[in-house]
Amino acid sequence: MKELTVKACLWPDVVRVREEDRPKGRANGSTVYAVFRDGELSADFCGVATHHDISLHPGWIFADLVEHRKLAAVPVGAGIRTALKTMRKHGMEVLAVMSRDEFVGVVTRESILQALLERDRQLLLESVRLRDIAEENHRQTVIWVERLAALNEAARSLLGVLARTSIETELLQAGLDALRKLLDADFGAIGIVDEHGGMAEFIYSGISEAQAKQIGELPQGKGLLGVVIEEDISLRLSDMRSDPRSIGFPPHHPPMKSLLAVPISRHGRVYGRIYLCDKVGGEAFSANDEELAASFAHSLSLVIDNAREMEEVKRARQRLDYMAHFDALTDLPNRTLLTDRALQFIARAQRKREVVAFLFLDLDNFKTINDSFGHTVGDELLREVAKRIASCLREGDTPARMGGDEFIIMLPGIKDSLDAAKVAVKILGLLNEPFVINQHQIYSRASIGISVFPENSGNLDELLAQADSALYHAKKLGKNNYQFFTSEMNSTAQRYLQLEHHLRCALGQGELSLYYQPQVQIDSRAVIGMEALLRWHSPTLGMVMPDQFIGLAEETGLIVPIGEWVLRTACEQAQCWRETGTPVRVAVNLSGRQFQDFQHQRGLLDVVATVLAETGLPAELLELEITESIMMRDVDTTLATLQGLKRLGVRISVDDFGTGYSSLSYLKRFPLDTLKIDKAFVKDVSTDDSDRAIVAAITAMAGQLKLELVAEGIEDLEQLVFLSGQRCNYGQGYYFSKPVPVEQATALLKPGALSE
Ligand SMILES: Nc1nc2c(ncn2[C@@H]2O[C@H](COP(=O)(O)O[C@H]3[C@@H](O)[C@H](n4cnc5c(=O)[nH]c(N)nc54)O[C@@H]3COP(=O)(O)O)[C@@H](O)[C@H]2O)c(=O)[nH]1
């Protein structure tokens, strides 16, 4: 620190006097008198006199006082240390301060002390000021560090947004959050409008979701935010409420004062706006803030512009792609797409050994309809036909329009050609219903030609040509029908569909009946049960055996009502036998579909309980036969169902045992009563060692599991003798009786009817 000079310590209370002047009255304690020789007072400095000198010599004039006191002086540039040393040396309290022989003033010990104190005070003040400045600088630095971090984040978000070709909400959100932080705003939002002016995106920052919901619709054209979009201008208001345009502001918007809103626009197209409200601390938004927000909005507009352009290109591409693959009139796939898909499906079907059918459909009277009603009606008819065709197909099927009134329907992954025939029947049935177009009732029928991969060919062109040729055949046969490419396929389909048609009426028309086959105790020949076996006497088809129609009944779902009828009829009959003094249990077969549907719909337990209650048959006189494969299909559900049946008191037997894949552990867990050895093992049991071994094993196992064992298909004595020797106690088969109508079965119940 620089040393103080005497110049900075001049005593303030100095009175200039002349030599001849006499001190007036009592001298002031602090006054120092500077004594000059002449009247000019600026030169001829003689010396100084203090109040002490005056009080010592009250009668003296200043000349005497000066004469008495020795003059001690220091130059104006001397340091205070020199001054104090001089004072000490001369034993003085006051020194004159001179500049080149001219009097400048005086210094005293006190004035030096005061100057030193003043300097310290100044230093203290300065250090406080500097500390304040340092603190302020630190605060500013912290703010700037935060701002830089926010800026960095905003820049990163912006770069993120810019790197995208589509607007992603999270990125917009990050950008907005960073911008709000950067500009110290309480609340901010980005609204993006779609092509029709609706709100496509609304992203907000600084308010809750509930508040954001209240803001509601985009105030387009209304209020300040609407103005930003409508007029493509920025707004920077310190008090938005004083602006009359704020009237249209959303009523539930969080209260706010200052507003900064910038449009997101490019080349006159406004995509939306960004707005920020209420700077933290109540300041207004600055021009810098506006510049920053505008630059963010500008970047955003580039991205949106780009994204929308890409969207447009994508849509145009999709349109072109659609036009290349779809028929403009019906929206169905066209020949190109059908060919593509057909080649793929044929290749797949080859690998997976699947069946694919091609149905070539042509309207029978389209030309007449076109000529009579005009092309508009014709076009509408084709559209309706397309809809009806599509309505009867499964998801993987492809209906295609080849042009004119020609359609091809590809059915991949079907079971066999019969499936194709069924779809053809469905389509023809639907097209036979009248169409109402422009108030005209139009009857348009169709013909279909069918070819099937791999049965007819492995080549797509050939398959289509074959379907076309079959269509030609259908037309020649009088139209409104379908034809396969080969005559064998036609007759198989015809037979099957005929069977289905008749089976649908069989139950209602009383064509079904039950035959009964006795189950016999081998030793005593006593009838211990009767198996109910379904028979169909069709007036058209004659006697149809269950093997020929049970599968069809399962496929069509007819097995459910038919199965319930069988159960009820068998129970009624058993109850009748019981009431007439020959009680015997009745065994009823349950098919897989029946077991499943009963479980999922009304519930097998409900059905059985209801039938038992309504017929009055005790549950122990009913045995339900299920096969191993049904049992193992859904083990948990089966177990629950079987346990339920057991609780009702019904007996359970496993039919055709040995042909399926039963897990022996399940056999133990399931509540079973009877195993029925399949007739396939019984057939050669007298001659075939393997069959003998199997039968012996099953017999031993049934014994261990304490299950009743019935051997099926016993046709001769040798089989009977072998089985009897194996301790198989019960049997069923032609040896005892074929399945017979109820009257004959009743006769078999008489004691001794089956005795040798
Ligand atoms: N879900 C239902 N399935 C039923 C119903 N009625 C019958 N069926 C099943 O149809 C299959 C064929 O039955 P069906 O033609 O009646 O043949 C049964 C007997 O006639 C035949 N059988 C009996 N004994 C002999 C014999 O000594 N030799 C020989 N070759 N065949 C004989 O076996 C059939 C009985 O078999 P099963 O049911 O396994 O005991 C048949 O699978 C029936 O289950 C029904 O109402 N619902």
Side-chain angles (χ1 to χ4, degrees), residues 260-504:
L260 171 60
V262 290
I264 305 167
S265 62
R266 189 166 148 72
H267 302 319
R269 271 180 79 177
V270 183
Y271 297 119
R273 46 96 185 104
I274 301 174
Y275 71 101
L276 296 135
C277 314
D278 289 352
K279 230 169 148 63
V280 175
E283 302 163 39
F285 288 97
S286 67
N288 270 348
D289 293 341
E290 185 179 333
E291 216 172 283
L292 237 141
S295 120
F296 182 78
H298 174 70
S299 308
L300 217 53
S301 71
L302 289 175
V303 183
I304 298 172
D305 203 38
N306 192 23
R308 298 235 164 129
E309 214 164 88
M310 300 280 280
E311 198 56 40
E312 200 105 305
V313 170
K314 201 166 128 196
R315 274 205 293 267
R317 260 199 216 128
Q318 279 170 347
R319 263 199 307 278
L320 280 176
D321 190 57
Y322 190 84
M323 277 156 65
H325 294 99
F326 288 84
D327 170 48
L329 182 71
T330 59
D331 280 335
L332 290 185
N334 63 13
R335 183 187 290 273
T336 314
L337 184 54
L338 174 87
T339 309
D340 278 2
R341 286 193 192 167
L343 289 171
Q344 278 177 33
F345 278 110
I346 287 175
R348 185 190 128 116
Q350 236 148 11
R351 284 195 312 275
K352 301 198 157 193
R353 300 180 181 282
E354 287 175 349
V355 179
V356 185
F358 294 88
L359 278 56
F360 205 136
L361 180 149
D362 182 285
L363 297 182
D364 288 340
N365 48 354
F366 186 64
K367 188 173 176 320
T368 320
I369 293 167
N370 239 350
D371 292 346
S372 331
F373 296 102
H375 287 270
T376 315
V377 170
D379 284 354
E380 191 50 37
L381 174 67
L382 290 173
R383 270 195 284 270
E384 286 303 314
V385 166
K387 277 190 208 155
R388 287 195 191 178
I389 292 174
S391 75
C392 18
L393 302 180
R394 289 179 316 179
E395 208 177 312
D397 301 340
T398 300
R401 180 171 173 238
M402 298 288 104
D405 60 342
E406 288 180 355
F407 297 83
I408 283 187
I409 299 118
M410 177 177 69
L411 310 173
I414 54 170
K415 193 153 60 59
D416 51 35
S417 56
L418 277 177
D419 279 352
K422 288 177 201 164
V423 176
V425 170
K426 238 199 288 182
I427 293 175
L428 292 179
L430 266 186
L431 297 187
N432 280 354
E433 296 294 318
F435 293 85
V436 178
I437 296 169
N438 290 357
Q439 283 136 15
H440 301 292
Q441 194 160 46
I442 295 169
Y443 289 87
S444 167
R445 297 174 194 281
S447 302
I448 295 176
I450 308 173
S451 62
V452 177
F453 167 91
E455 210 167 332
N456 297 138
S457 169
N459 174 285
L460 178 63
D461 289 339
E462 267 177 31
L463 284 161
L464 295 184
Q466 287 165 348
D468 194 8
S469 135
L471 171 66
Y472 177 73
H473 187 53
K475 294 265 183 197
K476 273 187 76 181
L477 284 176
K479 302 181 177 175
N480 194 25
N481 73 98
Y482 73 89
Q483 289 299 312
F484 279 98
F485 179 60
T486 64
S487 50
E488 306 89 77
M489 285 163 90
N490 277 328
S491 39
T492 312
Q494 250 166 13
R495 265 200 311 278
Y496 188 86
L497 292 172
Q498 204 185 22
L499 197 66
E500 182 185 334
H501 170 74
H502 290 297
L503 183 61
R504 284 188 187 281

Side-chain angles (χ1 to χ4, degrees), residues 514-515 517 519 531-535 545-550 554 559 562-563 565-567 588-592 594 625 627 655-656 676 678-679 683 712-716 719 732-739:
L514 289 186
Y515 275 33
Q517 188 177 34
Q519 294 173 334
E531 179 176 357
L533 294 159
L534 186 59
R535 295 294 180 262
M545 294 304 280
D547 278 341
Q548 293 169 270
F549 69 87
I550 290 286
E554 288 199 317
I559 193 70
I562 291 177
W565 177 86
V566 170
L567 180 71
V588 172
N589 288 283
L590 288 182
S591 77
Q594 205 178 346
E625 294 192 6
T627 61
D655 201 5
D656 304 339
K676 291 182 76 181
D678 190 69
K679 53 182 170 285
K683 189 166 164 270
E712 292 186 86
I714 303 175
E715 293 189 356
D716 57 45
Q719 294 164 337
Q732 182 181 347
Y734 295 169
Y735 179 78
F736 301 111
S737 166
K738 288 197 167 188

